[in-house]
Amino acid sequence: MPWALQGALDRRGLGPVAGVDEAGRGACAGPLVVAACVLRPGDASRLPELTDSKLLTAAARERVYERVVRRAVSYTVVVVPPDEVDARGIHVTNIEGMRRAVTRLEVAPGYVLIDGFRVPGLPAPSIPVIKGDRVAACVAAASVLAKVTRDRIMADLHAEYPQYGFDVHKGYTTADHGRALTDHGPCAAHRWSYTNVAVAAQEHDLQPPHPVMLTAAALQAKPAPAIDNQEALFDVPAG
């Protein structure tokens, strides 16, 4: 796993270097999970399996997770529930989740590396790194922390809602998940602002259990009554 970028920042007195990543941005059920992590400089030999969480098996992710938790200088994990994603939108909650994760680190970072896109308002200078979870060890560590945390949450949700198969697809849109939505409609663990969930809710005549900010795609997915000169797939609760 490349350590050169954060090593160069450390050598120039810009450390500690924190990596930030998320898991669950593209899922239509379950929380968004964001993690931030500061690793010990030169700790590569102690984390030999560390890489992008998506490239690891579930068993390897668990091993790396436990090692990162033990070896990290500081780390935080922020869990953003589906109702907050629905009320504020995925991009806003992702940005704010990253801010929260960095702010809650016990060691104030001197520099922050973010996977993929710029995050304004961080308490330290930062830079987005394309495929950061593959080119920066601290970002990869954050990706593992976020992914393992989220997978554990989805396994717990499967026990509560076994009809959806959350333990297999982890809330992402798959053929099996789509069939479960068609058969049962969405549950409280779903993101009701997402198009496929909103359409399934309408087909089952279900109302969202919390305020929802529908996406443009969801609004255009299926004809619905006009409300205040705007179309909606279902009445959005006030609040």
Side-chain angles (χ1 to χ4, degrees):
M1 185 69 218
W3 290 66
L5 178 55
Q6 63 203 70
L9 292 168
D10 277 319
R11 288 193 298 272
R12 286 161 177 76
L14 296 174
V17 181
V20 186
D21 201 4
E22 53 75 25
R25 179 184 175 95
C28 66
L32 173 72
V33 179
V34 183
C37 185
V38 177
L39 295 175
R40 304 182 192 190
D43 217 15
S45 63
R46 302 296 185 94
L47 297 165
E49 292 183 284
L50 179 60
T51 188
D52 175 7
S53 63
K54 295 184 291 296
L55 301 180
L56 296 168
T57 64
R61 278 196 300 269
E62 289 285 344
R63 289 195 302 270
V64 174
Y65 175 93
E66 297 300 335
R67 184 65 65 89
V68 168
V69 167
R70 291 197 304 269
R71 299 294 305 174
V73 174
S74 180
Y75 72 91
T76 56
V77 179
V78 173
V79 178
V80 184
D83 61 336
E84 186 174 343
V85 173
D86 280 338
R88 310 191 69 186
I90 186 62
H91 184 67
V92 169
T93 51
N94 197 8
I95 293 290
E96 292 196 357
M98 290 184 169
R99 290 177 185 148
R100 290 180 210 168
V102 173
T103 302
R104 294 176 187 176
L105 287 167
E106 293 181 356
V107 175
Y111 216 89
V112 181
L113 303 179
I114 309 154
D115 185 35
F117 56 90
R118 190 176 70 88
V119 176
L122 291 174
S126 64
I127 186 171
V129 182
I130 302 302
K131 295 191 180 297
D133 46 11
R134 300 190 186 188
V135 301
C138 57
V139 178
S143 79
V144 170
L145 292 171
K147 173 66 173 169
V148 171
T149 299
R150 190 175 186 280
D151 283 356
R152 292 174 178 178
I153 292 171
M154 297 310 296
D156 290 341
L157 286 174
H158 173 70
E160 188 174 356
Y161 304 104
Q163 66 270 35
Y164 297 103
F166 290 146
D167 59 328
V168 176
H169 53 68
K170 305 300 189 293
Y172 287 89
T173 302
T174 65
D176 287 343
H177 193 183
R179 283 190 290 270
L181 274 171
T182 298
D183 291 343
H184 306 289
C187 68
H190 281 94
R191 300 177 187 175
W192 293 63
S193 57
Y194 281 44
T195 304
N196 59 328
V197 179
V199 169
Q202 188 191 47
E203 290 173 348
H204 284 264
D205 197 24
L206 297 173
Q207 295 295 313
H210 48 250
V212 172
M213 182 175 69
L214 286 172
T215 64
L219 288 169
Q220 296 170 7
K222 204 167 185 179
I227 301 175
D228 294 333
N229 297 321
Q230 294 184 349
E231 287 189 337
L233 288 176
F234 38 64
D235 296 331
V236 179

